[in-house]
Amino acid sequence: MLNFLKDGRVVFAAFVIFMVIGAGFGVWSGRYDLIILDQISDAENVRSALAAMTPEQKSAHWWMTLVLDYAYPAAYGALFLGITWRFFGSAGKWLAIPAIVTVIVDVIENTIQLVLLSGDESLIWFKVLMTQIKFPAFLLAALIALIGLGIGVYRRVSGVK
């Protein structure tokens, strides 16, 4: 599995899929004028966002979460993990931890959002907790991947292996 994710073509494909899904969020949320729950990490703001949504918006957000937001962690996870394992050698297994945490937490958050959008608001506290973990872990994983890309560019330009 690691060798598969480290392959340059897989990393590139993951990047393209990551970007397409990211654009899809913009199109989908714009089409339905959605408040994106993934970006809210305060319980009262989540309650307010849910209360402000029409039934059509809740349905659109539910489907967006199911169709795009479950695929998103797979795309950025493959991208971040592939880059980290490709360019950091044996340290990559440890540096990959933030990406793995982010993917797991994002999938949990998505599942909770489906419940919230279906009308059960009892898990808002857990959604908020997952969001508060997800964003710092995502940023750290992205930073590690960017550094890995920098290492890869340096090796390519300098000829260092």
Side-chain angles (χ1 to χ4, degrees), residues 64-74 107-108 110-112 114:
M64 183 181 71
T65 300
L66 186 67
V67 172
L68 296 180
D69 210 4
Y70 274 103
Y72 204 49
V107 169
I108 293 168
N110 292 340
T111 304
I112 295 166
L114 293 178

Side-chain angles (χ1 to χ4, degrees), residues 1 8 15 20 31 36 58 68 80 83 91 93 96 112 118 123-126 132 136 149 151 155 158:
M1 179 76 151
F15 173 74
V20 168
R31 164 71 177 89
I36 306 299
K58 285 182 181 179
L68 296 180
F80 295 166
I83 291 169
K93 65 182 173 188
I112 295 166
S118 296
L123 294 175
I124 286 177
W125 67 273
F126 197 47
Q132 291 172 349
L149 281 177
I151 290 169
R155 287 179 185 163
S158 70

Side-chain angles (χ1 to χ4, degrees), residues 7 9 27 33-34 38 49 61 82 102 108 112 119 139 146 159:
D7 183 272
R9 293 169 295 191
V27 170
D33 193 27
L34 298 179
D38 295 73
H61 198 312
T102 306
I108 293 168
I112 295 166
L139 292 174
L146 284 173

Side-chain angles (χ1 to χ4, degrees), residues 40-132:
I40 305 173
S41 60
D42 175 80
E44 286 308 310
N45 290 341
V46 173
R47 276 188 195 83
S48 296
L50 287 167
M53 286 185 201
T54 66
E56 180 185 35
Q57 287 174 317
K58 285 182 181 179
S59 177
H61 198 312
W62 192 94
W63 282 105
M64 183 181 71
T65 300
L66 186 67
V67 172
L68 296 180
D69 210 4
Y70 274 103
Y72 204 49
Y76 71 68
L79 177 64
F80 295 166
L81 291 170
I83 291 169
T84 302
W85 284 326
R86 181 179 176 111
F87 296 115
F88 284 105
S90 62
K93 65 182 173 188
W94 299 108
L95 292 170
I97 292 172
I100 294 167
V101 167
T102 306
V103 168
I104 293 167
V105 168
D106 199 359
V107 169
I108 293 168
E109 180 195 44
N110 292 340
T111 304
I112 295 166
Q113 283 181 187
L114 293 178
V115 171
L116 297 175
L117 290 162
S118 296
D120 181 352
E121 297 186 11
S122 65
L123 294 175
I124 286 177
W125 67 273
F126 197 47
K127 178 265 184 272
V128 167
L129 177 63
M130 294 297 101
T131 304
Q132 291 172 349

Side-chain angles (χ1 to χ4, degrees), residues 4-38:
F4 172 76
L5 289 175
K6 291 185 337 186
D7 183 272
R9 293 169 295 191
V10 173
V11 170
F12 182 74
F15 173 74
V16 170
I17 294 167
F18 171 70
M19 297 304 290
V20 168
I21 294 170
F25 282 121
V27 170
W28 202 310
S29 64
R31 164 71 177 89
Y32 294 98
D33 193 27
L34 298 179
I35 300 166
I36 306 299
L37 293 178
D38 295 73

